[in-house]
Amino acid sequence: MNLTQAAEWIAAGCLLVSAFFSLVGAIGLVRLPDFFMRLHAPTKASTLGVGGALLASMVLAALQGRAGMAELLITLFVFVAAPVSAHLMAQAALHLGVQTRAPAPEGVAPGRKPS
């Protein structure tokens, strides 16, 4: 097995991991019962899914002799933008009073914030 084949196998493995995390995120988006739970699944899983695809692209770019700077910048943007946008959506939902089906933590009365 030469270097080209090894890089292609590594890229294929990254794409399989990426596809798995993207699928898990999509299933979580469909199956989870309320907004906050649905927000959690795709933001975490899709970040890993996109990261895996971009890592595979970087491996193949290195194989072609490119630096892969575009992929690196996209990765940076996704890893910064996804958590920030999820946080802003959650804050907006809290501000609007969107209800959740998640149980309250121990010692906290329903409808009251923990002190």
Side-chain angles (χ1 to χ4, degrees):
M1 179 181 291
N2 60 19
L3 182 63
T4 303
Q5 288 176 332
E8 289 173 351
W9 279 104
I10 290 170
C14 289
L15 287 174
L16 284 175
V17 169
S18 171
F20 171 75
F21 279 113
S22 296
L23 178 66
V24 168
I27 291 171
L29 180 64
V30 171
R31 297 211 36 166
L32 292 173
D34 68 4
F35 174 78
F36 294 103
M37 293 180 196
R38 285 183 182 156
L39 182 65
H40 179 75
T43 55
K44 304 302 180 229
S46 68
T47 301
L48 290 171
V50 170
L54 289 169
L55 186 61
S57 180
M58 288 174 75
V59 168
L60 293 177
L63 187 64
Q64 296 173 353
R66 294 188 303 118
M69 288 305 295
E71 291 87 351
L72 188 62
L73 290 173
I74 293 169
T75 304
L76 178 68
F77 177 73
V78 168
F79 280 33
V80 169
V84 170
S85 62
H87 179 74
L88 290 174
M89 286 188 282
Q91 289 294 324
L94 287 172
H95 179 72
L96 292 173
V98 175
Q99 297 295 315
T100 182
R101 294 185 189 175
E106 291 290 324
V108 176
R112 306 214 75 173
K113 293 182 178 179
S115 51

